[in-house]
Amino acid sequence: MLQIKERKVKMEIQFTPIVTQKQASKLAKVAEKIYYDYYAGLIGEENIKYMLAEYQTANSVIEQIRTRKHNYYEIEYILSGSCKLIIQEQSYILSSGDIAIIPTNVIYQAIPNNDSIMINLKIRRSTFDKVFINLLSADTLISAYLSKTLYSKGYRSAMLIHCGNDEYLRNIFLLMFNQELEKKAFYQYMLEGMTITLFTYLIQNHSENIEMSNQMLSLIHISEPTRRSYIS
């Protein structure tokens, strides 16, 4: 009688810091393979070439590593699949349609699951000051959070919004992504308008689906005198 014994292999994942040009070059080659294997059918070859040349060369990887702090917000949108988000040593799971708003100077790690697709938006702080003045002064949780992260030193909490499969949000993110890729005339104005639409829509429809990292929701409260100073 033949006996077959199962052998369980424990797979360990190790993260190696990228510190040399040679390591950055290897990472760039991996990025190129991933883009062509998983994104060709979604964004096309011309857009892949643009993304690789703009963001995934060895030099751009080194530059991103050296610049640890950024003067912009990052918005991670899960287009499909799911993602593990690590913020200040705490882990959160985001599913398709979910959004994470990461304020300036917050170090985080996004680990998408196999075949998952994410869209990353970067919005400068100056954009909020210029475009969002009315939105920042509104009496909503999202507005208070944006005001807190813009004007309070040392605030290090991300906002996670569980939106489900909201088709309207999906279309907004895809339109913004295409605007950035194509860079047609006046695309900056289109992006600014879409960003206002995005946040206004979130306030209208998903204010009840918010999760905060590291801090309680009550800590976001902005006093009325402080809020008035943003308006003036």
Side-chain angles (χ1 to χ4, degrees):
M1 181 177 179
L2 180 64
Q3 254 188 342
I4 300 176
K5 293 184 178 180
E6 292 185 2
R7 182 185 176 188
K8 295 183 179 180
V9 179
K10 185 178 179 181
M11 184 173 66
E12 294 184 357
I13 300 176
Q14 293 184 337
F15 293 95
T16 303
I18 305 297
V19 293
T20 67
Q21 191 76 19
K22 185 177 180 180
Q23 289 175 317
S25 297
K26 288 184 178 179
L27 182 63
K29 290 180 180 178
V30 172
E32 181 178 4
K33 178 173 174 53
I34 291 172
Y35 266 89
Y36 277 105
D37 286 352
Y38 294 99
Y39 291 93
L42 180 68
I43 63 176
E45 186 174 355
E46 288 302 314
N47 289 330
I48 287 176
K49 288 179 179 178
Y50 166 80
M51 295 296 290
L52 291 173
E54 190 76 11
Y55 302 109
Q56 298 295 340
T57 65
N59 288 336
S60 64
V61 168
I62 291 294
E63 182 61 26
Q64 291 173 50
I65 294 169
R66 288 172 180 169
T67 310
R68 292 294 298 276
K69 294 183 178 180
H70 304 283
N71 194 33
Y72 50 71
Y73 284 72
E74 289 197 59
I75 301 177
E76 297 283 4
Y77 174 71
I78 315 302
L79 186 66
S80 64
S82 60
C83 170
K84 180 180 181 181
L85 204 65
I86 302 175
I87 306 169
Q88 296 180 343
E89 299 181 354
Q90 293 190 28
S91 297
Y92 306 88
I93 301 299
L94 299 180
S95 301
S96 178
D98 288 349
I99 295 171
I101 303 173
I102 316 292
T104 59
N105 299 331
V106 170
I107 298 175
Y108 76 101
Q109 185 179 14
I111 308 174
N113 288 329
N114 292 339
D115 300 326
S116 297
I117 300 174
M118 301 171 60
I119 293 178
N120 176 271
L121 300 179
K122 293 179 173 63
I123 305 174
R124 294 188 180 278
R125 290 183 53 153
S126 58
T127 300
F128 281 100
D129 287 327
K130 180 176 68 172
V131 177
F132 286 89
I133 186 64
N134 293 326
L135 187 63
L136 291 175
S137 61
D139 188 19
T140 71
L141 184 59
I142 293 176
S143 301
Y145 169 77
L146 294 175
S147 298
K148 188 79 171 177
T149 53
L150 274 171
Y151 302 111
S152 296
K153 293 182 178 179
Y155 193 79
R156 295 290 183 269
S157 186
M159 175 175 279
L160 315 178
I161 309 176
H162 302 286
C163 303
N165 294 313
D166 189 316
E167 194 66 23
Y168 186 82
L169 278 177
R170 176 186 174 88
N171 289 335
I172 290 178
F173 275 97
L174 288 175
L175 284 170
M176 295 178 76
F177 183 70
N178 286 330
Q179 284 290 324
E180 178 63 33
L181 284 177
E182 294 173 0
K183 286 185 167 55
K184 294 181 179 179
F186 305 107
Y187 81 96
Q188 299 97 329
Y189 299 106
M190 289 289 292
L191 287 174
E192 287 183 1
M194 289 178 184
T195 305
I196 294 175
T197 301
L198 169 64
F199 278 91
T200 306
Y201 184 83
L202 288 173
I203 289 172
Q204 282 186 333
N205 297 278
H206 293 288
S207 290
E208 303 300 320
N209 307 321
I210 292 173
E211 178 184 1
M212 301 299 300
S213 72
N214 307 319
Q215 301 193 37
M216 299 296 291
L217 292 177
S218 59
L219 296 181
I220 303 177
H221 178 71
I222 306 291
S223 64
E224 188 60 29
T226 307
R227 195 183 296 277
R228 280 199 298 266
S229 69
Y230 299 147
I231 304 173
S232 62

